Structure formats: structure tokens, C-alpha cells
Amino acid sequence: MAEAGPRKPRSIVSREPQQTRRWADWLLDRAFRILIWVSRLLPYRARVPALGALDEHVLGPQAGNRRRAIHQLQFIWPNMSEPEARRIASAVLNNTGRTLIENYDTQSLLSRAKDWPLHGAGLDALDKARAAGRPILLITGHFGNYEAGRGAQVAGGKETSRHKHTTT
């Protein structure tokens, strides 16, 4: 008997009638708004790990995100052990929850970012381009919050913009 491959993630496209989906989407939106509002009552140092743990253990698995992450890991690294895939998938869910709530409190993120040193290949070229007034497009690979590098630059007094439009 042939071995079954990894389970395919369920489709995120609902087959429910459109009116039912609208109400479900509306309720889900309100539930997340309440969750974010309540979590913002917590101090930053408690809020970020709490949302990470909630996404890792409750929200992510319920939404099928753990299964989806494991499936993707098995696709990319077919020889990865199941415990290692589960460990990485859990870390991804935790990071997603932490990043989500960090981005709802930019001031706290920036106040923490002032202590983060910027380093790495290309930093001198970045500073030279900025000093010359040349536009810069950063394409990054990162672990953690995708806003962290930008936050460290802003906290260090270096103007950044995700989208900068100029008129001619």
C-alpha cells in the first residue's frame, strides 16, 4: 500500500453562500478588533509574548496555519523530521502573533528599536546613498518583525518611507 503524502491544506475559499460569508467575516473582524483592543490594555512586555502564544497555540492551529506551515516545510525540505517541522511551524505562528501586535503599537516598537544596532553588509552603501539623496530600495531577508529594521533606522534618526512618491 502506498504511503499517503502530506495532507493538503484546506482551501481558504469558502463555498458558503455570499451573505453567510459576509456575516462570518464581519463577526471575525469584530472578534479580532476586540482581541487587539483588549491586548493593548496589557503592558507591551506582556502583550507581545501573550499574542505570540495565543497565535501559536489557539488562533494559528484553528485557522489551519500550523498544518499549512508544516506542509510547506515538507515541500521545501522533504527529509526534515516531523518534530523539527512542528517546532519551526510553532515558532512561525508565535512570530506571526508577536509581529501583528507589535505593529499596532509603533511608538513602543520605536522606543525599543533605539537600542538595536544596525549592522551588516551594505550598510555603508546605504548611508552613502542616503547622504547623496539617492533613492534606496531595500530588499531584505529577515527573521522576526519585518518592521524592525525600519524601526531601528527611524529610531536612529534616519528618515525612511515604505512608499515615497515624488512629483515632477
Side-chain angles (χ1 to χ4, degrees):
M1 182 172 193
E3 257 187 60
R7 275 188 359 191
K8 291 183 180 177
R10 287 187 298 167
S11 172
I12 59 172
V13 177
S14 174
R15 290 174 176 50
E16 299 171 2
Q18 190 169 356
Q19 186 64 30
T20 303
R21 282 196 317 259
R22 283 187 196 146
W23 278 105
D25 290 346
W26 184 87
L27 287 171
L28 187 60
D29 173 70
R30 293 312 181 266
F32 273 106
R33 286 173 186 256
I34 290 168
L35 172 65
I36 290 166
W37 180 80
V38 168
S39 70
R40 293 211 45 202
L41 298 174
L42 295 171
Y44 186 85
R45 288 193 179 274
R47 175 183 338 137
V48 173
L51 262 290
L54 184 65
D55 197 45
E56 178 182 353
H57 298 291
V58 180
L59 301 175
Q62 284 297 313
N65 293 339
R66 180 187 312 279
R67 184 174 54 249
R68 212 172 279 110
I70 291 171
H71 175 76
Q72 292 300 316
L73 287 166
Q74 290 170 336
F75 178 74
I76 295 166
W77 290 295
N79 296 328
M80 180 180 285
S81 71
E82 185 71 25
E84 181 66 0
R86 282 195 308 268
R87 184 192 68 75
I88 292 172
S90 290
V92 166
L93 295 177
N94 189 289
N95 183 63
T96 301
R98 296 171 75 90
T99 298
L100 172 80
I101 203 61
E102 279 180 328
N103 291 346
Y104 273 92
D105 188 356
T106 307
Q107 290 308 312
S108 292
L109 182 66
L110 290 176
S111 71
R112 293 183 65 230
K114 70 181 176 0
D115 298 326
W116 299 338
L118 289 173
H119 58 88
L123 190 57
D124 288 338
L126 178 69
D127 289 338
K128 287 177 185 172
R130 182 178 279 122
R134 291 194 318 262
I136 304 163
L137 174 63
L138 297 177
I139 301 171
T140 66
H142 54 83
F143 294 101
N145 188 336
Y146 57 90
E147 290 284 3
R150 181 175 168 273
Q153 289 185 59
V154 170
K158 297 176 177 168
E159 180 185 334
T160 68
S161 174
R162 279 185 238 146
H163 308 283
K164 187 168 187 170
H165 300 280
T166 58
T167 57
T168 56

